[in-house]
């Protein structure tokens, strides 16, 4: 998308970023399996993600929100699978109406660029095992599976890990 911009989220749009994140996960059926979790509240809380991590958004030429991603360094609140020397990203979300336009790709590329800026040699993430469309994106970008860091935050939810050496 030539009219796509990736930037830090602005304070005035954090509620909308949280709503977009939740909407994207719902559209992917993340909550459809009946698993009881408070993850919906965490997805909606873009304000805390912006305060304690780095929260990027993708916007179009009219500054409409199209997607978002959260970056976390090891040892911080949003880091789940990262270790020293790694940048982790989480909560990659693209508005359902903006999909298939390169938004997710642009957001992940921005994460990779940020890791390079920080001098970090590796990017890691974990993703729900059933979110296979985005796993294809990660693999096209060169990510490989990191099975020793797979984990389960709650019973019935299995997250699988990926890594990319820069």
């Amino acid at each position: 998308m030539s009219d796509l911009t990736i930037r830090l989220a602005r304070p005035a749009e954090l509620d909308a970023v949280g709503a977009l994140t939740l909407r994207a996960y719902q559209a992917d059926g993340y909550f459809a399996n009946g698993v009881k979790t408070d993850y919906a509240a965490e997805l909606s809380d873009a304000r805390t993600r912006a305060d304690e991590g780095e929260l990027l958004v993708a916007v179009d030429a009219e500054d409409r929100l199209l997607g978002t991603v959260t970056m976390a360094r090891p040892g911080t609140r949003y880091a789940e699978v990262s270790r020293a020397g790694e940048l982790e990203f989480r909560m990659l979300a693209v508005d359902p109406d903006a999909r298939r336009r390169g938004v997710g790709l642009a957001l992940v590329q921005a994460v990779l660029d940020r890791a390079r800026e920080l001098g970090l040699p590796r990017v890691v993430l974990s993703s729900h095992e059933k979110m296979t469309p985005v796993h294809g994106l990660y693999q096209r970008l060169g990510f490989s599976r990191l099975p020793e860091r797979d984990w389960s935050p709650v019973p019935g939810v299995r997250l699988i890990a990926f890594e990319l050496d820069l």
Side-chain angles (χ1 to χ4, degrees), residues 3 87 93:
D3 65 340
L87 182 63

Side-chain angles (χ1 to χ4, degrees), residues 4-10 13-14 16-25 43 46 49-50 54-59 64-71 89-95 98 103-104 106-108 111 138:
L4 185 66
T5 300
I6 308 296
R7 60 169 171 74
L8 287 172
R10 297 175 181 150
E13 64 195 2
L14 293 175
V17 171
L20 180 152
T21 307
L22 181 59
R23 187 169 56 253
Y25 274 66
L43 291 170
R49 291 199 311 273
E54 290 185 60
L55 182 62
L56 297 179
V57 294
V59 297
R64 284 186 299 247
L65 292 172
L66 303 176
T68 182
V69 67
T70 300
M71 295 179 289
F89 72 91
R90 296 189 51 203
M91 301 180 202
L92 176 66
V94 176
D95 188 287
V103 176
L107 285 163
V108 176
V111 170
Y138 301 148

